[in-house]
Amino acid sequence: MTSRKPALAVVGATGAAGAVMLRILSQRADVWGEIRLLAPPSATGGGRGGPVCPEPLAGPGPVLRGVETEVLALDEETLRGVDVAVFLAPEEVAARWAPIAAAQGTVVIDASPAFRADPDVPLVVPEVNPHAARLRPRGIIASPGCTTLALIVAVGALHAEFGLDELVVSAYQAASGAGQAGVDALRGQLAAVAGTGLGTAPGDVRRAVGDDAGPFAAPLALNVVPWSGALEEDGWSSEELRVRAEARRILDLPALRVAATCVHVPVVTAHSVVVHARFERAVTVARAHEILATSPGVVLYDDPAAGDFPTPADVVGTDPTWVGRVRRHPDDERALEFFACGDNLRKGAALNTAQIAEAVAAELAAGRGTRP
C-alpha cells in the first residue's frame, strides 16, 4: 500500500532564495508530490527588496527538476490543497498569507522575520532543535535569519558538549543579505571604482559612487559598513538584536548573554562570523575539533599552517557551515574563538526551510498530528 506524497508550495519562487530553493528541490530526495510555485502579485512588477528578494527572474519560467514551470499568483485558491508551504518572501507577505495558509490546514515554514519572536511559533534549525518543529500551535514554523544560521549549527554542537555561557559575535554580511538590490548596488559601485586609484583619500570612494549607496548606509565598494537593519535602543541595530533573540530561542537559553555586531562587506554571497563563545566548562581545541568534525551540517577546515581556513569566496554555493581558526582564548580556559562562513542564500534561507519541510513531510507520512 502506498500513500500520497504531500503537496508543497514555494511562496516567493521568483526571488533569489526561491531560485536556490528550486535547485535544492531538484538535488535532494524526492519526498514531494505536486510542487506549486507561487509569487505575490507584486513580484510580477518588481516588488521590494529584502533578505529573500521577491524580484522576478528575467526570461522563461523557473526550472524545477529539469522542467520549465509556471509561477502562479499567490492567493487563497492557489494555496488550497497544499500540505506544506515554504515562504521565501518579504515579511509583509508572510505576515498576511502564512496565517491564511495555516487556517486551511497547511503547515507553513517561514524564512522571514514575521513570526520569529512569536512564542507560539517554533524557531527551528534541524541540526540543533529538530524536536521544536513538532509543536506548532499556529501551524507555522519559523526559520532564523541568515546571520544566525551562519553560526548557530557550530555553536549548538559545542553547547551540547560544554554548556554555553556567553556569545559575542562579529558578523560580516554579504551584499545579498540585503536582497537583489544589495547585489546590484555592490556591482554598480565596483564598476565605478574599478581601475581607479580610489580609496586613498577621505571621501573619494563616496564621491565616485554618488549619493545612492543602495540599501547600505555608506558605499560598500572598497569599504566595510558597520550597520545592518534599523536603529534600536542604546545604539543597537535590529539585525544585531535579532541574532541575540534567535540564538536564545534556538538554544533554549533565555538568559544567555549575547552581543552581536553586524558589518556589511563587499562580498556578493556568503556571510562570515567571528565567534567568541564562553562555556560553563573548560574547553580544548582538540575536543572542539572532534565535535565540529563530526557534527551534521558543519565542515571543519582548520589548518592555518597550510593556509586552510574558510573564506566566503570558497564556500559560496555549498550547504554546510565551514569552521576554521579554532583557538582557545589565551586568558580564559573556558572560551573559544573561531571563524565560520556559510552561504546566506542556501543554509541561510532556502536550505534550512527545505530541511524543516522534509521533516514535516516525514511526520505527515507517519500520520502524526500537526497541532496540539
Side-chain angles (χ1 to χ4, degrees), residues 317-337:
T318 68
D319 289 340
T321 297
W322 294 70
V323 178
R325 300 296 321 281
V326 181
R327 295 148 288 151
R328 192 169 77 170
H329 195 290
D331 303 311
D332 188 347
E333 66 176 6
R334 293 164 50 193
L336 282 176
E337 320 291 320

Side-chain angles (χ1 to χ4, degrees), residues 131-196:
H131 56 280
R134 301 189 192 109
L135 185 64
R136 40 183 188 269
R138 296 189 62 184
I140 301 170
I141 303 167
S143 181
C146 50
T147 304
T148 301
L149 283 165
L151 63 97
I152 202 67
V153 177
V155 168
L158 294 168
H159 164 60
E161 174 78 8
F162 300 117
L164 188 63
D165 180 63
E166 181 180 21
L167 189 62
V168 180
V169 178
S170 295
Y172 304 107
Q173 298 178 320
S176 56
Q180 188 61 43
V183 175
D184 292 343
L186 174 59
R187 293 195 185 282
Q189 293 172 21
L190 289 172
V193 302
T196 71

Side-chain angles (χ1 to χ4, degrees), residues 206-229:
R206 188 181 293 271
R207 286 189 294 272
V209 168
D211 295 332
D212 185 9
F216 309 112
L220 193 56
L222 303 182
N223 204 16
V224 298
V225 182
W227 189 257
S228 180

Side-chain angles (χ1 to χ4, degrees), residues 51-335:
V52 286
C53 316
E55 292 82 354
L57 302 176
V63 174
L64 174 62
R65 296 177 177 168
V67 178
E68 186 179 324
T69 305
E70 180 184 8
V71 178
L72 305 174
L74 172 64
D75 58 29
E76 291 188 39
E77 186 58 34
T78 55
L79 285 169
R80 202 176 310 280
V82 170
D83 297 295
V84 180
V86 294
F87 275 69
L88 297 163
E91 182 175 0
E92 63 271 19
V93 174
R96 177 185 175 189
W97 288 100
I100 293 172
Q104 296 183 171
T106 300
V107 180
V108 172
I109 299 103
D110 178 37
S112 86
F115 303 99
R116 290 178 191 156
D118 188 327
D120 289 328
V121 175
L123 186 66
V124 175
V125 179
E127 296 91 342
V128 181
N129 63 339
H131 56 280
R134 301 189 192 109
L135 185 64
R136 40 183 188 269
R138 296 189 62 184
I140 301 170
I141 303 167
S143 181
C146 50
T147 304
T148 301
L149 283 165
L151 63 97
I152 202 67
V153 177
V155 168
L158 294 168
H159 164 60
E161 174 78 8
F162 300 117
L164 188 63
D165 180 63
E166 181 180 21
L167 189 62
V168 180
V169 178
S170 295
Y172 304 107
Q173 298 178 320
S176 56
Q180 188 61 43
V183 175
D184 292 343
L186 174 59
R187 293 195 185 282
Q189 293 172 21
L190 289 172
V193 302
T196 71
L198 296 173
T200 59
D204 60 356
V205 171
R206 188 181 293 271
R207 286 189 294 272
V209 168
D211 295 332
D212 185 9
F216 309 112
L220 193 56
L222 303 182
N223 204 16
V224 298
V225 182
W227 189 257
S228 180
L231 179 63
E232 301 288 350
E233 188 176 358
D234 294 329
W236 294 97
S237 78
S238 57
E239 182 74 6
E240 292 161 347
L241 294 182
R242 280 177 185 164
V243 173
R244 179 175 184 260
E246 291 170 12
R248 286 175 160 188
R249 287 201 67 196
I250 295 162
L251 299 173
D252 195 20
L253 295 172
L256 179 67
R257 295 181 295 174
V258 183
T261 300
C262 292
V263 182
H264 277 298
V265 295
V267 169
V268 175
T269 300
H271 288 353
S272 304
V273 289
V274 172
V275 176
H276 166 87
R278 192 170 194 270
F279 300 94
E280 296 171 354
R281 294 178 288 281
V283 297
T284 66
V285 170
R287 182 59 184 143
H289 272 182
E290 289 177 3
I291 294 166
L292 294 168
T294 57
S295 295
V298 176
V299 171
L300 180 67
Y301 188 56
D302 190 17
D303 185 0
D308 292 341
F309 39 74
T311 74
D314 295 318
V315 311
V316 63
T318 68
D319 289 340
T321 297
W322 294 70
V323 178
R325 300 296 321 281
V326 181
R327 295 148 288 151
R328 192 169 77 170
H329 195 290
D331 303 311
D332 188 347
E333 66 176 6
R334 293 164 50 193

